[in-house]
Amino acid sequence: MSVVVSKDGKKCSGVAPSQREDASRGRALSSIRNIGIVAHIDAGKTTTTERILYYTGRVYKIGEVHEGTAVMDWMEQEQERGITITSAATTCFWRDRQINIIDTPGHVDFTVEVERSLRVLDGAVGVFCGVGGVQPQSETVWRQAKKYNVPCLAFINKMDRMGANFDAVVQQMREKLAAPAVPVQLPIGAAETFSGIIDLVHMKAYTFSEETLGSDVVEIPVPEELASKAEEMRAALVEKAAESDETLLEAYLENSDVSADLLVPAIRSAAISGDMVPVLCGSSLKNKGVQPLLDAVVDYLPSPVDIPAVKGIHPKTEAEETREASDFEPLSGLAFKMATDSFVGKLVFVRIYSGKLEKRQNVFNPRTRKREKIGRLLRLHANSREDVEVLFSGEIGAIAGLKQFTTGDTLCVENSPIVLESIEFPEPVIAMAIEPKTQADRDSLTAALQSMMDEDPTFRVTTNEDTGQTIVNGMGELHLEIIKDRILREFKVRANAGKPVVAYRESAQKVGTGTFTFEREIGGRGHFAKLVIEVSPRQRGEGNQIDLSVSNEVIPAEFHLPIRQGISDALMTGVLGNYPLVDIHVNVTGGEAHPVDSSEMAFRTAAVMALREAVGESSPTLLEPIMKLEIIVPEEHLGDVMNDLNGRRGRIREIEARDAVQIVHVDVPLAEMFGYATTLRSLTKGRASYTMEPQSFEAVPDSMQETILNRY
């Protein structure tokens, strides 16, 4: 592999031999970078990751998404569609630093992969299209990163494309994402004239040799026509960095031309604190700008010791616990993903926050309160793997053979337990019936669905009590299509699937009260419970809340948990169409217990029946998922698209003019969006595109509610 030169002038060939021999240790925690590559679909995440693997020496041939040869897109479904479906992890080395990378999907149907990856990562690289700029899923992944306080770099990709505009994308980041975006690079040219980058920190310009697939980075003089702009932008960079670094500020006041040695740590500090998002540029497909991006990952993104100590609670006392990033602290780790491997079985992806995890070690799961022994520890490279003896703090790996762990569980030691914050997942919005073709396929289908539920928390399986049908629920049409495809091809189960339908919800519109008395003799013993329950509506999106305002004298404390369990069970099926109940406040206001005959079963049953009666008195209504839709359409087809949206009950929020196209922002019920891709292609002769993501649930119009309930 060709030698490349980093921006500090050091030669680096990606992987040091000593690190190859002992990649599991022999490095300080400060030399680790755990990063994710996140972006809107088709912004170039996987292409960028493939170049990173090539230039670091992890692979010796560049894989291409459009050819189906990308290392990180290893699933058949990913290679066929040219999109990332599941997040893939790998490890590489650059400038004596270990970089653990997770390449995530950009399609909204697989946003859970981004959510759980960002939960365990220390930094992220947001990839933006130089033409499309900040797109809908860009906003979603950016919000997810901010939710977990993940420091970010921005890489404006596709600078070689017609219409690429570096300055416009930076401005969109500031306006749409409220991100403190500050360029640390400047592109040399754009579209067909894009040839390299200017490094504003070191004030050097670089081009990338086409003969060596960009492996040779050539330093050139800063082009004269860009010199004044580069000086101006460097001054802005220094001023922004100096705001949060006193050493740099003092040097800047003495001499505005501060050295790179002072500027790099100041940018790093500002990036880690979230006060700055360094912006870089390039063209991954044309092999330009990727090595400087690797330098920026090393220079500006945090190591495990740069982020705050992980917090959790003690499972028994519920007191707050913290764990520093150190091999000598008690073990703490988070299981953030499950996967089924045809060779090793169930894989549990884990991030180690403190301590170290060794083979044959017992680990404790605070959720199940059980111990399990570690069989195999693995370091991952897409769908290949290597066995290791130990995972140290700050590392990401996988465990084979664990049976009791699921996504969001904490791994710790029994004598020093901790429960780390779990991961929140969005509710599925679309459903589809599925059934085995023959009786012989029934058990295989059940096993396949269970396996995929273990892997994907946004995939749910339920049974319709009226028809006995198995209903699968997911995040979108593509999500369910991939599930169906995997059942047929990966699990080799013959099954019939119905058409996707909307996953509706139910809620209350006013206060309702229900009373139920359970009094029965079972097995020669009396069972008695009486409950009075009041339900009231909450704001959309607030979720359900369960309170017991009744005193312990009226209903003893030992029955409170069964009452809560009964209410939780009853919230799973409403009274209109058996859809889950959401956004309601449930309050147990009264009741009665018998000193001898009251039992947990009686109170649990009474809670279910009293809640159903209360909901029936609360003017229940049907809720439907509303999707946030962005359509990019040529101006001459705008009228046809708008007319079609009006017929789909769409609410136009904004129409934004951008160059020769119009960008329509609209809220549309999911029920009206089935088959929309075909319609849009027909209306615009294939020239328009759209992206869609779930936004909220809203009440179905009264005129349509009865029709929907009769249909389903």
Side-chain angles (χ1 to χ4, degrees), residues 62-81:
I62 294 179
E64 299 291 4
V65 174
H66 58 273
E67 294 175 359
T69 58
V71 174
M72 303 301 276
D73 282 353
W74 54 269
M75 289 175 65
E76 289 179 12
Q77 292 86 352
E78 293 177 317
Q79 293 168 356
E80 290 171 357
R81 291 168 173 81

Side-chain angles (χ1 to χ4, degrees), residues 207-518:
T207 60
F208 304 84
S209 171
E210 294 184 11
E211 289 77 16
T212 59
L213 297 177
S215 292
D216 289 328
V217 183
V218 182
E219 184 177 337
I220 62 170
V222 174
E224 288 184 18
E225 66 274 14
L226 292 172
S228 61
K229 183 176 182 181
E231 291 287 352
E232 182 185 324
M233 292 181 71
R234 188 180 199 269
L237 170 62
V238 173
E239 285 184 20
K240 182 64 178 177
E243 289 178 7
S244 51
D245 189 290
E246 290 186 7
T247 305
L248 181 65
L249 180 60
E250 290 175 7
Y252 176 63
L253 293 175
E254 290 179 12
N255 181 1
S256 59
D257 186 21
V258 298
S259 70
D261 292 340
L262 287 175
L263 187 52
V264 168
I267 295 172
R268 176 181 177 81
S269 176
I272 292 173
S273 65
D275 293 332
M276 181 191 295
V277 176
V279 182
L280 301 92
C281 60
S283 169
S284 297
L285 187 63
K286 296 296 175 66
N287 310 311
K288 295 175 181 176
V290 177
Q291 294 97 324
L293 173 62
L294 278 163
D295 285 330
V297 167
V298 168
D299 288 338
Y300 306 137
L301 288 182
S303 70
V305 296
D306 294 317
I307 60 173
V310 67
K311 293 181 181 180
I313 60 169
H314 193 286
K316 290 184 179 176
T317 64
E318 296 194 355
E320 185 175 280
E321 301 268 333
T322 58
R323 295 281 190 274
E324 298 287 343
S326 166
D327 295 341
F328 305 104
E329 286 267 309
L331 172 69
S332 67
L334 187 72
F336 66 95
K337 174 176 169 149
M338 307 288 124
T340 302
D341 188 286
S342 55
F343 297 103
V344 298
K346 181 179 176 182
L347 282 177
V348 178
F349 287 54
V350 62
R351 159 72 193 264
I352 307 299
Y353 284 100
S354 64
K356 52 188 178 182
L357 184 64
E358 300 179 81
K359 284 176 68 173
R360 294 173 290 280
Q361 175 182 348
N362 280 323
V363 293
F364 181 66
N365 184 341
R367 180 181 61 84
T368 61
R369 299 189 179 181
K370 291 181 180 178
R371 284 177 297 174
E372 278 197 76
K373 180 171 280 190
I374 300 297
R376 292 179 66 187
L377 287 177
L378 305 165
R379 181 170 286 111
L380 301 162
H381 177 51
N383 66 326
S384 61
R385 66 204 72 77
E386 60 177 295
D387 283 87
V388 293
E389 291 295 316
V390 58
L391 289 174
F392 293 94
S393 59
E395 292 196 317
I396 292 173
I399 309 167
L402 288 184
K403 293 181 174 63
Q404 304 294 330
F405 281 81
T406 188
T407 302
D409 281 351
T410 300
L411 292 83
C412 58
V413 286
E414 196 168 359
N415 61 0
S416 186
I418 186 173
V419 179
L420 302 178
E421 181 189 356
S422 193
I423 310 171
E424 295 179 5
F425 298 111
E427 288 292 315
V429 297
I430 195 167
M432 175 178 73
I434 192 165
E435 60 185 21
K437 281 192 175 180
T438 66
Q439 194 64 30
D441 291 314
R442 185 170 296 280
D443 291 342
S444 300
L445 177 61
T446 302
L449 293 175
Q450 183 60 52
S451 177
M452 284 187 287
M453 269 205 299
D454 291 341
E455 290 181 25
D456 185 352
T458 60
F459 174 62
R460 312 273 174 83
V461 179
T462 57
T463 302
N464 186 307
E465 294 180 3
D466 297 329
T467 64
Q469 278 184 310
T470 299
I471 307 295
V472 294
N473 301 267
M475 296 301 296
E477 286 184 273
L478 181 59
H479 190 193
L480 294 185
E481 183 185 324
I482 297 296
I483 292 290
K484 183 170 67 174
D485 198 42
R486 288 186 62 195
I487 289 172
L488 300 175
R489 292 162 62 173
E490 185 179 324
F491 294 94
K492 295 179 172 55
V493 178
R494 294 175 300 166
N496 295 320
K499 289 184 177 180
V501 296
V502 176
Y504 292 97
R505 300 286 187 270
E506 296 180 26
S507 191
Q509 295 188 92
K510 66 177 187 179
V511 176
T513 304
T515 304
F516 188 84
T517 303
F518 183 89

Side-chain angles (χ1 to χ4, degrees), residues 142-192:
W142 202 263
R143 283 197 305 270
Q144 289 170 315
K146 294 300 106 183
K147 174 181 175 182
Y148 295 115
N149 297 314
V150 176
C152 295
L153 299 178
F155 180 66
I156 299 178
N157 190 26
K158 302 189 180 183
M159 287 303 302
D160 61 305
R161 287 266 305 274
M162 182 66 68
N165 189 326
F166 179 79
D167 294 332
V169 178
V170 172
Q171 191 59 33
Q172 284 180 39
M173 289 180 63
R174 293 168 179 162
E175 293 173 357
K176 292 188 174 183
L177 305 179
V182 181
V184 295
Q185 290 179 358
L186 185 64
I188 301 175
E192 67 275 2

